[in-house]
């Protein structure tokens, strides 16, 4: 999320954006992009656009698969080992 968005949010609400704000921002961008690409607010047209059109977001370039999972978004889990955060791998 860019600095201008963070500053506007803080000015409007008196607090910093939350931990999942970028996710919500990216989801909103994806839906608005899908509506624009579909040229409609028809459910099926939006779903088709979400599954076929990539959109640039603060999380990276994403689209969605048949189950609705985001493609292009990484997710990591960390744990503390010896006082340091270490990424948990499979």
């Amino acid at each position: 999320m860019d600095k201008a968005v963070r500053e506007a949010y803080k000015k409007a609400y008196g607090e910093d954006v939350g931990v999942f704000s970028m996710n919500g921002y990216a989801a909103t961008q994806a839906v608005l992009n899908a509506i624009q690409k579909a040229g409609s607010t028809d459910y099926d047209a939006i779903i088709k656009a979400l599954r076929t059109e990539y959109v640039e977001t603060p999380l990276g370039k994403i689209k969605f698969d048949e189950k609705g999972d985001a493609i292009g978004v990484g997710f990591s889990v960390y744990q503390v080992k010896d006082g340091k955060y270490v990424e948990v791998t499979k």
Side-chain angles (χ1 to χ4, degrees):
M1 184 174 304
D2 67 23
K3 186 177 178 181
V5 172
R6 290 178 185 274
E7 289 173 354
Y9 185 94
K10 188 164 188 169
K11 183 178 179 181
Y13 301 104
E15 59 187 39
D16 290 328
V17 295
V19 69
F20 293 108
S21 295
M22 279 203 266
N23 301 70
Y25 189 81
T28 301
Q29 283 183 306
V31 170
L32 292 174
N33 181 69
I35 291 169
Q36 182 180 25
K37 295 291 182 178
S40 168
T41 56
D42 175 71
Y43 178 84
D44 292 329
I46 293 170
I47 295 301
K48 181 179 178 185
L50 284 170
R51 291 180 179 163
T52 58
E53 298 286 335
Y54 277 94
V55 61
E56 285 291 338
T57 76
L59 303 177
K61 192 174 183 179
I62 64 172
K63 74 175 184 176
F64 297 86
D65 68 14
E66 299 77 32
K67 295 185 283 182
D69 294 330
I71 299 169
V73 177
F75 181 80
S76 297
V77 175
Y78 294 85
Q79 70 183 61
V80 178
K81 285 188 178 178
D82 300 321
K84 296 180 181 179
Y85 285 102
V86 177
E87 186 173 2
V88 177
T89 59
K90 291 182 181 180

